Amino acid sequence: MIIQLQPDISSKQKETLIDKVNGIGYKTTEVKTQLGDYLIGIGKKDFDIRKIGQLDGIRDIHIVSDEYKLVSKKWKAKPTSIDLGDGVFIKDGEMAIITGPCSIESEEQIRNVVAHCVENGIRMMRGGVFKPRTSPYAFRGMGIDGLKLWHSIASEAGIKIVTEVMQTSQIEEMYPYVDIYQVGARNSQNFNLLDELGKVDKAVMIKRGISGTIEELLQSAEYVFSGGNEKLILCERGIRTYEKASRNTLDLNAIPILKAKSHLPVIVDPSHGIGIRSYVPQMALAGVMAGADGVIYESHEIPEKAYSDGQQTLDFAQSARLANWIRESFAMRKGFELL
Ligand code: PEP
Ligand code: MN
């Protein structure tokens, strides 16, 4: 059960409410986010809401049977819109395009990608400065100095920055320079990191874990939300299956399912999803048709020279074409939705 509290609820009213809810058989947790205060009740399935609905200090109340609560559509039917400023949004009813290299490599590379984004009307750029690599000997990123450099170039061009945070100690130093903190697949259930990201007021995009279920992704989002931060985006990036012919198995099913289960926007990552450059456009468009609110894909001026993930990275000509196809496919999908 979720009870949204009135902002001006008195401590006496809150105490009475908590006693009453505990008395019914719930275990309650108080949650304060940047947008609201809630009381989450766990442990009982059915009861007559009218028993407490009349108490003072309640703004809204719902029974949410899902394991995740505040990110559930059963709690909030209206889709969440992420406002990044300067007219850049990630939201239901719009198509977000995010592109850029796997890794930020040099000033020249940043300038090239920023120019590519500007030329193609793409307002959000991805890139890793802290790279989670399977091998410790692989390129591990330019670090915070790379992020500062990137921010100085991107912000001048009105481009928003999406980049991965790998550990709690990086959150604060990254804060002035990021627009969206990306939680990578390997960190999808790093609950300390999720808790800490609940305390910031910038958007967080959580990637599905390598072997994570849809439910686990939603529970990870619940961590950040209940930690205080409602600015959340979910990302389907492929899961590990027995199939070896592709890097991962992009779970297109997850897109409509996540959209139905949660009010949060859903982004598809076809680059990591299939891991093969020539199939990235197909899978991107499949993701759009499946209902995604945005696409994040890797691009680089010379993919063969990329420090990481070159095999799944588009060159700028391919990226420009894909951006247009994404927009056209989205327009077509909107047409279907009207039928
Ligand atoms: C990335 O976005 O480059 C990345 C490492 O993604 P993931 O965490 O999905 O593997
Ligand atoms: Mn990558």
Side-chain angles (χ1 to χ4, degrees):
M1 177 180 56
I2 302 178
I3 301 172
Q4 184 171 15
L5 305 174
Q6 292 284 9
D8 59 355
I9 186 171
S10 69
S11 39
K12 183 91 193 78
Q13 286 169 336
K14 202 194 289 179
E15 220 175 278
T16 312
L17 185 57
I18 292 174
D19 281 352
K20 191 94 183 169
V21 175
N22 287 341
I24 294 166
Y26 283 101
K27 190 178 162 300
T28 48
T29 306
E30 234 187 295
V31 167
K32 282 182 187 300
T33 77
Q34 287 136 17
L35 300 179
D37 291 354
Y38 309 88
L39 208 56
I40 311 295
I42 305 285
K44 207 170 150 38
K45 291 269 176 277
D46 281 321
F47 97 106
D48 186 349
I49 250 176
R50 286 170 299 187
K51 282 190 184 155
I52 54 169
Q54 306 306 322
L55 290 178
D56 291 333
I58 296 179
R59 181 176 219 167
D60 200 359
I61 179 165
H62 276 287
I63 300 283
V64 177
S65 47
D66 299 322
E67 288 296 314
Y68 42 91
K69 305 285 177 196
L70 291 158
V71 304
S72 172
K73 210 166 200 161
K74 289 185 187 146
W75 164 245
K76 180 173 169 242
K78 188 168 168 269
T80 287
S81 160
I82 309 290
D83 184 352
L84 298 171
D86 304 320
V88 183
F89 289 90
I90 297 184
K91 61 189 267 203
D92 189 86
E94 277 192 21
M95 181 48 58
I97 302 180
I98 307 167
T99 194
C102 181
S103 302
I104 296 297
E105 298 166 2
S106 66
E107 176 169 350
E108 190 194 351
Q109 181 226 32
I110 297 169
R111 289 195 187 282
N112 283 335
V113 181
V114 166
H116 168 68
C117 289
V118 171
E119 275 163 30
N120 291 281
I122 297 170
R123 305 288 310 277
M124 286 168 269
M125 176 172 157
R126 60 146 290 141
V129 294
F130 301 111
K131 293 303 300 178
R133 303 305 302 278
T134 302
S135 162
Y137 308 117
F139 177 63
R140 315 237 315 243
M142 281 181 82
I144 193 72
D145 291 335
L147 179 58
K148 287 181 186 172
L149 180 66
W150 178 13
H151 177 261
S152 67
I153 299 167
S155 58
E156 239 171 64
I159 303 289
K160 304 294 174 187
I161 288 182
V162 183
T163 194
E164 176 164 356
V165 57
M166 282 180 57
Q167 49 186 316
T168 54
S169 61
Q170 293 161 348
I171 295 175
E172 202 176 319
E173 59 174 355
M174 290 171 76
Y175 182 85
Y177 313 107
V178 306
D179 297 288
I180 300 178
Y181 286 100
Q182 173 176 320
V183 175
R186 290 155 196 81
N187 262 323
S188 197
Q189 287 193 309
N190 178 340
F191 301 120
N192 288 334
L193 184 63
L194 299 172
D195 268 338
E196 290 302 309
L197 287 167
K199 297 178 188 160
V200 296
D201 61 1
K202 290 203 176 182
V204 175
M205 179 177 80
I206 309 178
K207 288 191 149 193
R208 182 169 176 188
I210 289 176
S211 310
T213 63
I214 290 172
E215 169 107 12
E216 283 164 342
L217 175 59
L218 290 164
Q219 290 277 36
S220 294
E222 186 80 14
Y223 258 87
V224 182
F225 200 125
S226 63
N229 187 355
E230 302 193 12
K231 294 178 190 146
L232 281 164
I233 302 147
L234 305 171
C235 179
E236 166 56 44
R237 51 77 74 195
I239 46 173
R240 180 165 292 175
T241 66
Y242 49 80
E243 185 51 68
K244 295 250 189 325
S246 52
R247 182 178 178 182
N248 290 298
T249 297
L250 183 64
D251 181 10
L252 290 169
N253 297 346
I255 297 168
I257 292 174
L258 285 168
K259 290 289 294 173
K261 286 184 180 292
S262 175
H263 51 83
L264 298 174
V266 177
I267 300 271
V268 64
D269 175 351
S271 306
H272 295 86
I274 192 159
I276 303 165
R277 183 186 307 141
S278 52
Y279 307 139
V280 166
Q282 290 90 316
M283 301 318 288
L285 301 185
V288 172
M289 285 315 186
D293 302 306
V295 183
I296 182 167
Y297 64 91
E298 291 178 334
S299 62
H300 190 286
E301 188 177 28
I302 311 167
E304 294 72 19
K305 293 206 170 151
Y307 289 5
S308 55
D309 285 352
Q311 81 290 346
Q312 64 191 32
T313 300
L314 304 186
D315 67 26
F316 289 163
Q318 291 166 329
S319 168
R321 252 181 289 149
L322 177 56
N324 282 332
W325 286 334
I326 289 170
R327 294 184 183 112
E328 285 168 18
S329 303
F330 177 60
M332 202 190 287
R333 185 184 101 202
K334 286 225 288 214
F336 294 155
E337 284 166 0
L338 291 177
L339 291 179

